[in-house]
Amino acid sequence: DAMVIQNPRYQVTQFGKPVTLSCSQTLNHNVMYWYQQKSSQAPKLLFHYYDKDFNNEADTPDNFQSRRPNTSFCFLDIRSPGLGDAAMYLCATSLRDAYTDTQYFGPGTRLTVL
Amino acid sequence: GENVEQHPSTLSVQEGDSAVIKCTYSDSASNYFPWYKQELGKRPQLIIDIRSNVGEKKDQRIAVTLNKTAKHFSLHITETQPEDSAVYFCAARQNFNKFYFGSGTKLNVKP
């Protein structure tokens, strides 16, 4: 079941200390997503990549950045984490074509900000 | 953008009863509607999905119906079991890539 892998599974950081979350996939999917999910809420899309094309959501704070160096890997950088950034961060992938639609989620990284 | 509304926010049923969760969407261009089940602390898991060219789809105890005209779709779970207890999210896909989620329904199946 290790098709979308996220590391680390748990991350503790200090207020204002930069942190990087990573996601890798073995599905060769061309679309990768980062979602933020807070307790009892729906996943909120932060941004997604279609191949190398980066698509930022309008309400994603500038504090959040992303990199996709190749098809398999995608990173979420939080430059100066605040207490409000504590959440579960979910990576997901999908294959953009005419026949498949399914979005596959990774297990998530739970971020704690002290 | 797309706006997906989901009701109810909580649903409690007796084991063996049916459960129905409803979602509406705003963008008529949305063409794919998945349903996810999320257990506490775990990732969302796809349980069933439907494309806009289909009105109904069934997989054992789970079914989804879609009314494109009214822009709503529903999840039906029959013969509910305690292990069906979880949070369920509907979603609508717009522009081929972006998925918009409903706010979630916490389903509690009482033994």
Side-chain angles (χ1 to χ4, degrees):
Chain A
D1 193 38
M3 295 184 292
V4 182
I5 301 163
Q6 290 188 244
N7 285 303
R9 295 291 309 279
Y10 301 90
Q11 176 73 58
V12 180
T13 190
Q14 292 180 336
F15 183 95
K17 186 174 181 181
V19 66
T20 294
L21 311 181
S22 73
C23 177
S24 63
Q25 52 126 341
T26 59
L27 300 163
N28 205 31
H29 283 175
N30 48 15
V31 188
M32 293 187 78
Y33 310 79
W34 279 105
Y35 290 91
Q36 179 193 65
Q37 187 177 29
K38 296 188 175 180
S39 182
S40 304
Q41 297 182 19
K44 178 182 180 299
L45 181 64
L46 296 173
F47 22 61
H48 75 277
Y49 280 92
Y50 169 47
D51 288 331
K52 291 186 177 181
D53 291 337
F54 176 70
N55 297 271
N56 196 31
E57 292 300 295
D59 58 354
T60 298
D62 292 340
N63 198 27
F64 292 86
Q65 305 285 317
S66 185
R67 297 170 282 136
R68 189 180 185 185
N70 53 54
T71 300
S72 300
F73 285 88
C74 196
F75 299 97
L76 170 62
D77 300 308
I78 308 177
R79 294 193 295 186
S80 182
L83 298 179
D85 297 328
M88 174 77 86
Y89 290 88
L90 294 162
C91 173
T93 72
S94 69
L95 180 65
R96 178 177 173 170
D97 69 19
Y99 304 103
T100 62
D101 306 279
T102 307
Q103 185 176 198
Y104 295 88
F105 282 89
T109 295
R110 182 163 295 283
L111 177 68
T112 300
V113 182
L114 301 177
Chain B
E2 174 65 278
N3 181 42
V4 179
E5 295 190 357
Q6 183 172 345
H7 300 280
S9 57
T10 59
L11 180 60
S12 190
V13 300
Q14 207 65 40
E15 182 178 0
D17 288 349
S18 295
V20 180
I21 303 171
K22 298 182 178 181
C23 288
T24 61
Y25 62 99
S26 60
D27 190 342
S28 56
S30 291
N31 57 10
Y32 171 66
F33 306 92
W35 284 90
Y36 296 91
K37 175 184 180 182
Q38 188 174 30
E39 296 175 341
L40 190 63
K42 296 190 176 181
R43 77 188 83 187
Q45 296 271 16
L46 178 72
I47 55 171
I48 198 167
D49 54 10
I50 192 166
R51 286 191 173 197
S52 58
N53 59 349
V54 176
E56 185 174 0
K57 183 177 178 181
K58 190 174 181 181
D59 182 4
Q60 298 182 347
R61 296 187 297 110
I62 296 173
V64 56
T65 58
L66 171 65
N67 183 326
K68 278 199 311 181
T69 303
K71 297 199 195 74
H72 66 71
F73 56 113
S74 300
L75 176 70
H76 304 255
I77 306 174
T78 58
E79 300 172 26
T80 53
Q81 302 166 3
E83 50 265 39
D84 294 330
S85 297
V87 179
Y88 290 81
F89 291 101
C90 63
R93 187 189 65 180
Q94 183 194 58
N95 295 338
F96 232 140
N97 290 341
K98 293 172 65 167
F99 290 78
Y100 291 88
F101 284 78
S103 54
T105 297
K106 185 173 183 180
L107 175 64
N108 179 35
V109 180
K110 295 178 286 186

